[in-house]
Amino acid sequence: MSATTPSRDIRVLVVEDDPVAADAHVLYVGRVPGFTAVGKAHTGAEARRALDRMAVDLLLLDLHLPDVHGLQLARSLRAAGYHADVIAVTSARDLTVVREGVSLGVVQYVLKPFTFATLRDRLVRYAEFHAAVGEASGQDEVDRALASLRAPGPAALPKGLSAPTLERVTRALRDCDQGLTATGVAEAVGISRITARRYLEHLVDAGRAGRSPQYGQVGRPELQYRWVKS
């Protein structure tokens, strides 16, 4: 089985119900050489119509869509003869869902919130797997092709950030519908305001939070952060 550079870009359909997140994912895909975002859909029904109109190699598929669960959509697409692979995007940590997805063409999972670097790593690994063609010379070559889909370890956070603290900041922001300032997050999580700001800006960069000035106070307005719905 020889690995060769594809003669054309891998065509990606972004399926994400939140418009802000969908735009961010399209932007991320476009920044990875060898990949082209050919469209976006906000529901399962829109995804099916898009697949009827255009050739797609890979779905970047949010599992929590307003009209259907992502795995149900993947199952129905397989039954209907669509053969696009799937990278599932989800905030769920249920390993039962992960196992179920394997039989439905899900080749990777990306947990929200994620950075461009995380998605780029998954796409690059998928490209290596996608480029493997021909007949394998033996077991080792088959193993190498499958191993290209597996990351060597968790994606690194920016220097100075930790996964447990990011999880606490994420939870605080998600639990507050009105949004929080860096000061509010600092008080809720038990960290400094400057540290809270770094985690919040990381979530903004990852497309999982939005920010806007909070007016009505004396002096310079403080930024208000809100969770982008998963």
Side-chain angles (χ1 to χ4, degrees):
M1 188 185 314
S2 59
T4 60
T5 302
S7 58
R8 57 166 176 76
D9 284 357
I10 294 171
R11 299 161 298 202
V12 182
L13 176 65
V14 172
V15 186
E16 163 66 57
D17 70 319
D18 183 81
V20 175
D23 288 342
H25 297 169
V26 168
L27 179 64
Y28 284 176
V29 170
R31 291 171 59 188
V32 182
F35 288 84
T36 297
V38 295
K40 59 185 175 182
H42 300 304
T43 66
E46 286 183 13
R48 291 189 70 116
R49 289 195 293 270
L51 288 167
D52 286 336
R53 295 194 313 267
M54 64 183 75
V56 173
D57 303 304
L58 179 66
L59 297 177
L60 188 59
L61 175 63
D62 180 28
L63 294 188
H64 297 284
L65 299 172
D67 58 342
V68 65
H69 190 277
L71 290 186
Q72 293 177 334
L73 175 62
R75 184 180 296 106
S76 68
L77 292 176
R78 281 288 178 271
Y82 297 98
H83 299 295
D85 292 320
V86 175
I87 292 181
V89 178
T90 180
S91 57
R93 266 71 172 171
D94 188 349
L95 292 178
T96 302
V97 173
V98 174
R99 289 196 298 271
E100 183 180 356
V102 171
S103 63
L104 301 175
V106 177
V107 296
Q108 292 273 13
Y109 278 85
V110 183
L111 292 180
K112 296 179 178 178
F114 59 87
T115 63
F116 166 66
T118 297
L119 181 60
R120 178 184 59 198
D121 175 77
R122 299 304 189 274
L123 291 178
V124 168
R125 290 179 178 279
Y126 173 76
E128 294 175 4
F129 173 76
H130 185 76
V133 297
E135 185 174 346
S137 60
Q139 183 68 50
D140 288 346
E141 197 164 354
V142 172
D143 292 342
R144 281 196 299 273
L146 294 175
S148 64
L149 291 171
R150 296 194 293 269
L157 289 170
K159 186 177 180 180
L161 303 190
S162 72
T165 303
L166 178 61
E167 181 66 28
R168 287 157 55 204
V169 170
T170 298
R171 189 180 307 117
L173 199 60
R174 293 185 68 175
D175 290 346
C176 185
D177 293 336
Q178 293 76 31
L180 289 169
T181 64
T183 300
V185 170
E187 294 173 352
V189 177
I191 56 180
S192 73
R193 179 181 175 279
I194 293 175
T195 299
R197 178 77 178 270
R198 289 194 63 203
Y199 281 94
L200 290 167
E201 288 298 319
H202 170 71
L203 290 174
V204 171
D205 291 341
R208 301 317 307 147
R211 60 171 177 252
S212 59
Q214 183 185 43
Y215 295 102
Q217 298 180 347
V218 177
R220 185 178 180 181
E222 191 171 359
L223 290 175
Q224 183 95 352
Y225 294 84
R226 283 184 170 81
W227 181 254
V228 174
K229 187 182 68 169
S230 300

